């Protein structure tokens, strides 16, 4: 059974996730300077994606894939 994606709420696109490079801190973990801004999110701590990573842009997930108790790192 298909259910509306709980992450993008059925939109399938234009979603924000925690930055995968800096884990939401806004600072680049690869730089020696502790105040160096992240080059992926430019200090915001979030990335904007064109396609939802949970439903792959479909807007729907299978009923068994839509568990709220699994921690997949998405906000």
């Amino acid at each position: 059974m298909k259910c509306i994606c709980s992450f993008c709420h059925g939109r399938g696109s234009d979603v924000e996730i925690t930055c995968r490079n800096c884990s939401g801190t806004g600072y680049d973990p690869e730089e020696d300077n502790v105040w160096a801004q992240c080059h992926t999110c430019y200090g915001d701590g979030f990335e904007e994606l064109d396609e939802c990573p949970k439903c792959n842009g479909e807007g729907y997930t299978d009923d068994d894939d839509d568990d709220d108790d699994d921690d997949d790192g998405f906000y």
Side-chain angles (χ1 to χ4, degrees), residues 6-74:
S6 62
F7 184 71
C8 69
H9 305 287
R11 291 189 318 266
S13 62
D14 299 326
V15 295
E16 278 191 351
I17 64 168
T18 301
C19 179
R20 295 172 282 192
N21 184 47
C22 70
S23 301
T25 64
Y27 300 105
D28 196 330
E30 302 293 319
E31 292 287 330
D32 292 332
N33 181 356
V34 296
W35 301 110
Q37 187 180 59
C38 177
H39 298 290
T40 303
C41 68
Y42 302 104
D44 290 336
F46 295 97
E47 291 181 68
E48 293 182 17
L49 301 179
D50 293 332
E51 184 176 276
C52 177
K54 189 164 186 137
C55 68
N56 297 319
E58 293 181 16
Y60 295 92
T61 59
D62 291 328
D63 192 22
D64 58 345
D65 290 344
D66 202 24
D67 295 332
D68 289 333
D69 52 339
D70 63 337
D71 184 20
D72 50 14
F74 306 127

